[in-house]
């Protein structure tokens, strides 16, 4: 029996699989029972549930696309701990609101959990940032308030959406994630769940400080498991990649969202068989996890997945692995990193709520829009956005900007002219710019001279011929910088405005 209220408190707790316990007792905040068919990624062989059962694992890292139940897994792990091996726990999210929202959902899950519901305090005594049970507490904290992470000893930690955590520039404390991880110093057998949809790719600045995705850094330092699913035709396993998602084009040979939505299918990397939407659910439910650096025996993977599927279908319980969580029968070799951290990455290609067509149409819709494309890479593929930086000397940039329009001649699209003047120690620098539609700009003239009146008389007030032979253009506005030795520029611009008619020469900063 998984839970027996008659068991004496001093008796050693029975070893119970997290997956088995969750299937029996967990309901989400909407009252839906935990169903392995709905959450196959968590309970698949070698997955997060197996890693939580492994006493050698200290961190479980989930780098998932959005809406793939990574937060729900953390909540389930806390309820499982409270029922089977009570210990102090903590949930930390970005802000107070997000933390209290998750805590409120956890209260609802606890109310629907028979082994724990009776331990809850009456509603009028419940705190929004702390759940008190008979034998343990679940504390709440938020990354933007470092004080909420202090003075708590915890054994189980759930860090929610860690890529959104920030260290305020005014803070005198360290990084909030490091402070959170320090809460377990008094527990040698602690476990932390670090989960997030990723942001930008990790990078170091010139001082060696890390920036970018926290969850990707943690995952790459872990076993870095990927989810493999079998082709319904050849039965060989593979990871799902966007590049193998195919769809038709319209009658003109152009990409079309509606056509993609209706015709998208996945092409197997082994047999080139077309995998349709009707194959998706069964294929994903037979998935297995594989650590980085290991190979996979296709026949044994299918047998292990089928065995677990049958156990769950028949409501029988599987044994806890005697060794590491990843040491499944289908695994060939050993992981590149077999340490204290189990890491997992998952994209929306594995989401049971989606179709190939919806994913293909979404991909087409973000093309040409860098912001939306960034969101797709993070939220749909579960991958980091890579910011590429290029450095070029000014000569290389200028060569790309050179045009064959003669100096002083306004391009045909020119609509008005503007001038800029900058005061230097013993001379002035000037530039004349032609402007047109969509902020198009062209340099007509530039140079230096020691005398401001000469620039005004010979550069600012002259006529500039138009390339199409139309009426010449004159400078409409002139801005003169007053950031350095401002007296002369201020006096000159004031005198220009007092003339009749006034000359528009405006003093500016920068």
């Amino acid at each position: 029996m998984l839970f027996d209220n008659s068991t004496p408190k001093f008796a050693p707790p029975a070893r119970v699989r997290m997956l088995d316990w969750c299937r029996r007792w967990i309901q989400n905040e909407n009252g839906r029972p935990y169903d392995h068919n709905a959450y196959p990624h968590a309970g698949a062989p070698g997955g997060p549930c197996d890693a939580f059962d492994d006493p050698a694992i200290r961190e479980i890292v989930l780098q998932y696309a959005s809406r793939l139940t990574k937060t729900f897994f953390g909540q389930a792990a806390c309820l499982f701990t409270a029922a089977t091996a009570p210990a102090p726990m903590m949930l930390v999210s970005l802000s107070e609101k997000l933390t209290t929202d998750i805590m409120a959902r956890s209260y609802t899950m606890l109310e629907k959990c028979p082994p724990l519901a009776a331990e809850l305090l009456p509603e009028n005594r419940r705190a929004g940032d702390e759940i008190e049970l008979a034998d343990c507490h679940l504390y709440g904290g938020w990354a933007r308030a470092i004080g909420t992470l202090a003075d708590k000893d915890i054994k189980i930690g759930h860090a929610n959406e860690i890529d959104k955590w920030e260290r305020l520039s005014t803070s005198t404390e360290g990084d909030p994630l490091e402070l959170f991880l320090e809460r377990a110093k008094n527990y040698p057998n602690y476990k932390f769940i670090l989960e997030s949809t990723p942001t930008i790719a990790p990078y170091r600045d010139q001082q060696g400080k890390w920036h970018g995705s926290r969850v990707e850094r943690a995952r790459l330092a872990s076993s870095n498991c990927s989810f493999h699913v079998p082709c319904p035709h050849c039965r060989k396993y593979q990871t799902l990649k966007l590049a193998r998602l195919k769809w038709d084009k319209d009658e003109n040979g152009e990409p079309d969202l509606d056509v993609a939505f209706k015709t998208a299918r996945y092409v197997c990397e082994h047999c080139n068989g077309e995998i349709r939407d009707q194959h998706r659910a069964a294929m994903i439910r037979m998935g297995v996890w594989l650590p980085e650096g290991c190979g996979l025996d296709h026949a044994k993977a299918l047998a292990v997945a089928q065995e677990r599927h049958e156990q769950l279908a028949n409501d029988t319980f599987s044994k806890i692995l005697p060794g590491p969580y990843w040491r499944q029968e289908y695994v060939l070799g050993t992981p590149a990193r077999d340490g204290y951290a189990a890491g997992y990455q998952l994209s929306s290609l594995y989401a049971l709520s989606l179709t190939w067509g919806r994913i293909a149409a979404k991909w087409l819709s973000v093309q040409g829009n860098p912001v939306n494309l960034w969101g797709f890479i993070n939220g749909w593929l579960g991958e980091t956005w890579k910011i590429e930086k290029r450095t070029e000397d000014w000569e290389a940039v200028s060569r790309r900007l050179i045009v064959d329009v003669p100096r002083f001649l306004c391009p045909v699209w020119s609509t008005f002219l503007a001038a800029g003047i900058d005061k230097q120690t013993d001379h002035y620098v000037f530039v004349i710019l032609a402007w047109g539609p969509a902020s198009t700009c062209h340099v007509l003239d530039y140079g230096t001279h020691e005398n401001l009146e000469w620039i005004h008389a010979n550069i600012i007030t002259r006529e500039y011929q138009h390339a199409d032979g139309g009426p010449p253009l004159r400078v409409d506005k002139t801005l003169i910088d007053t950031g350095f030795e401002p007296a002369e520029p201020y006096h000159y611009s004031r005198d220009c405005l007092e003339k009749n008619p006034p000359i528009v020469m405006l003093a500016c900063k920068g």
Side-chain angles (χ1 to χ4, degrees), residues 18-283:
M18 177 182 173
L19 175 60
D20 296 337
W21 189 91
C22 289
R23 286 196 307 119
R24 175 165 289 193
W25 300 119
I26 288 287
Q27 296 182 43
N28 66 16
E29 65 268 22
N30 299 317
R32 182 178 178 182
Y34 186 100
D35 181 5
H36 178 70
N37 286 330
Y39 315 111
H41 326 104
C49 283
D50 285 355
F52 200 84
D53 291 332
D54 188 340
I57 293 301
R58 296 290 167 261
E59 292 181 7
I60 298 175
V61 183
L62 307 179
Q63 180 178 327
Y64 284 8
S66 60
R67 313 308 301 169
L68 283 175
T69 68
K70 55 186 181 295
T71 302
F72 179 68
F73 173 81
Q75 292 174 291
C78 289
L79 267 64
F80 169 65
T81 300
T84 61
M89 299 173 285
M90 176 178 277
L91 159 73
V92 178
S93 193
L94 171 66
S95 64
E96 180 178 7
K97 182 180 186 307
L98 290 173
T99 298
T100 54
D101 284 350
I102 298 174
M103 296 287 272
R105 300 202 301 268
S106 298
Y107 267 119
T108 304
M109 292 172 63
L110 284 161
E111 290 171 344
K112 301 176 186 298
C113 181
L116 295 170
E119 298 185 23
L120 283 170
L121 294 174
E123 287 193 39
N124 61 348
R125 293 176 54 195
R126 297 177 187 175
D129 60 352
E130 180 181 344
I131 296 177
E132 182 178 349
L133 299 172
D135 296 315
C136 63
H137 287 218
L138 173 60
Y139 303 103
W142 39 98
R144 288 179 175 170
I146 298 294
T148 63
L149 309 183
D151 299 327
K152 300 288 192 305
D153 285 331
I154 62 171
K155 183 179 179 181
I156 305 296
H158 174 193
N160 170 251
E161 294 294 350
I162 60 175
D163 271 20
K164 298 180 176 64
W165 291 20
E166 299 174 354
R167 179 183 180 275
L168 299 178
S169 59
T170 55
S171 175
T172 58
E173 303 284 351
D175 180 84
L177 182 58
E178 294 301 320
L179 292 174
F180 175 56
L181 295 175
E182 289 178 3
R183 299 302 96 210
K185 282 183 176 180
N186 290 333
Y187 288 92
N189 55 343
Y190 67 91
K191 284 188 187 292
F192 281 100
I193 298 168
L194 313 178
E195 48 96 343
S196 186
T197 297
T199 52
I200 63 172
Y203 66 95
R204 287 182 184 269
D205 60 22
Q206 293 181 343
Q207 287 73 41
K209 181 181 177 181
W210 277 105
H211 300 273
S213 176
R214 299 170 185 269
V215 74
E216 180 154 285
R217 271 187 283 150
R219 177 181 63 82
L220 293 177
S222 73
S223 58
N224 192 19
C225 298
S226 52
F227 199 54
H228 294 244
V229 295
C231 170
H233 307 298
C234 68
R235 313 301 283 172
K236 289 188 176 181
Y237 277 77
Q238 59 206 283
T239 56
L240 298 181
K241 305 177 181 67
L242 182 65
R244 300 203 68 84
L245 188 60
K246 307 297 181 183
W247 54 88
D248 296 343
K249 297 182 179 180
D250 65 14
E251 57 188 14
N252 299 317
E254 297 295 328
D256 182 88
L257 267 67
D258 288 336
V259 174
F261 186 85
K262 296 174 182 177
T263 63
R265 65 274 184 195
Y266 194 88
V267 179
C268 173
E269 67 180 53
H270 299 291
C271 69
N272 288 322
E274 292 190 347
I275 304 172
R276 301 288 178 170
D277 281 325
Q278 60 265 30
H279 302 126
R280 279 176 55 81
M283 176 180 69

Side-chain angles (χ1 to χ4, degrees), residues 10 14 40 44 71 125 176 270 298 302 307-308 331 335 368 429 455 470 473 475 485 493:
F10 54 82
T71 302
R125 293 176 54 195
H270 299 291
H298 299 279
L302 196 62
E307 180 185 13
R308 181 161 298 192
V331 176
V429 178
I455 296 175
L473 298 179
V475 173
E485 296 184 355
S493 61

